[in-house]
Amino acid sequence: MLILIAFGILSAVALGSGVMVITRRNAIHSVIWLIVTLFAVGGIFLLQHAEFLFAVQIILYVGGIMVLFLFVVMLVNIDVALKQAQFSRQWQLGLFTAVLVFAQLVYVIYKIGAGLSLPTQPPGPEPAHNTQAIGQALYQTYMLPVEIASLLLLVAMVGAVIMAKRKFE
Amino acid sequence: MIPTAYYILLGSGLFTIGVIGVLTRRNVLIILMSIELILNAVNINLVALSQYFRSVDGQVFAIFVITDAAAEAAVGLGLIIALFRNKETVNADEIDLLKW
């Protein structure tokens, strides 16, 4: 019961601040609300006993990616953009499409929901050490994907430096 | 225990908010933030189903998604800086060099 209340609060915070992210006029406010959303999603990870992912979410997302976002918003933010229209011309069509997609998702979840709302405890012991299990999976089963991900990060780093670099005359 | 369907519903709600942000906003920075929202919705689903199947594989994939989000944010923000330097705008509908 207590866990259900925690889930309700966390998901309300996540969805509410998600709506705030896409409706704020000032991009800095959007970044702050996105940080609130990320904290709430981290809390939902914690609720599901994914402790390692919770730590990764806080350290990497909030501490790394969002600080990068804040820097760029402050570099790029112009007062002109605050006074202009915030939504594109075809916003009704976009909203309609997104709501249609959501309705389809809810329909499918409702159809298969009977299978998914079964008690979520099939036989088998709860993995006691989440971090240990993830570490073993990462470095044994998923060793090649980890290497590919590191290569991806290297390429992204070089790409970001090239993009942001001033052209030499 | 909370039914897995609740988590998946939460994930699809967050995904929809992200899609609305991508489709309706003009500010490129907020479009990038909406993409982060979408990736977080994916992570919620992955973690929920990894708990459902009692296996950490879903959480490992969530780590890969976070890696991807970091790479995407770095390249995307680099692009925005280059774009702002050349066109002095952050509005997506003014960036139409490739439009016929």
Side-chain angles (χ1 to χ4, degrees):
Chain A
M1 193 58 207
L2 200 66
I3 207 165
L4 200 63
I5 295 171
F7 174 76
I9 294 173
L10 284 173
S11 52
V13 169
L15 291 176
S17 52
V19 170
M20 296 299 265
V21 170
I22 63 165
T23 51
R24 291 307 90 190
R25 185 166 278 270
N26 193 332
I28 291 180
H29 297 174
S30 286
V31 175
I32 304 294
W33 281 110
L34 186 53
I35 290 174
V36 176
T37 313
L38 294 177
F39 268 113
V41 173
I44 284 167
F45 290 163
L46 205 54
L47 219 56
Q48 291 170 303
H49 301 286
E51 291 92 1
F52 182 70
L53 264 184
F54 169 73
V56 168
Q57 175 95 355
I58 301 300
I59 295 171
L60 216 154
Y61 245 118
V62 181
I65 300 179
M66 290 332 285
V67 171
L68 189 66
F69 260 97
L70 262 184
F71 267 119
V72 173
V73 169
M74 288 178 181
L75 269 180
V76 160
N77 212 10
I78 40 175
D79 297 333
V80 187
L82 292 181
K83 297 183 187 69
Q84 290 169 339
Q86 294 297 305
F87 294 96
S88 58
R89 280 187 304 276
Q90 65 276 20
W91 70 271
Q92 290 106 333
L93 192 63
L95 194 64
F96 175 72
T97 314
V99 171
L100 204 67
V101 169
F102 182 62
Q104 282 179 344
L105 285 174
V106 170
Y107 176 70
V108 172
I109 292 165
Y110 179 74
K111 290 292 263 190
I112 63 168
L116 283 177
S117 52
L118 286 174
T120 54
Q121 305 267 23
E126 167 103 12
H129 300 291
N130 177 251
T131 310
Q132 189 184 1
I134 288 182
Q136 274 173 354
L138 268 180
Y139 289 113
Q140 286 170 2
T141 321
Y142 293 102
M143 213 179 101
L144 187 64
V146 168
E147 296 299 325
I148 294 173
S150 69
L151 200 63
L152 174 78
L153 281 178
L154 176 70
V155 171
M157 195 165 71
V158 175
V161 170
I162 298 273
M163 292 292 177
K165 186 182 70 169
R166 275 177 207 285
K167 282 203 174 60
F168 294 111
E169 298 301 328
Chain B
M1 281 307 281
I2 305 166
T4 308
Y6 287 12
Y7 287 112
I8 295 180
L9 271 178
L10 170 65
S12 56
L14 211 56
F15 175 82
T16 309
I17 293 174
V19 171
I20 292 174
V22 169
L23 289 181
T24 62
R25 288 302 297 247
R26 288 178 81 206
N27 194 330
V28 185
L29 284 158
I30 293 179
I31 292 178
L32 263 188
M33 287 181 222
S34 305
I35 295 175
E36 301 291 329
L37 277 181
I38 294 175
L39 291 171
N40 265 279
V42 172
N43 276 350
I44 289 177
N45 276 6
L46 282 173
V47 174
L49 288 170
S50 110
Q51 283 303 113
Y52 180 70
F53 290 116
R54 281 277 173 273
S55 138
V56 291
D57 291 351
Q59 297 180 23
V60 172
F61 271 90
I63 290 175
F64 288 135
V65 170
I66 292 178
T67 313
D68 226 39
E72 172 252 319
V75 175
L77 293 172
L79 273 174
I80 288 177
I81 290 180
L83 204 64
F84 185 72
R85 194 177 293 139
N86 287 326
K87 293 207 69 161
E88 294 284 319
T89 181
V90 287
N91 288 334
D93 48 3
E94 290 173 31
I95 305 159
D96 52 3
L97 276 174
L98 283 179
K99 201 170 168 184
W100 182 60

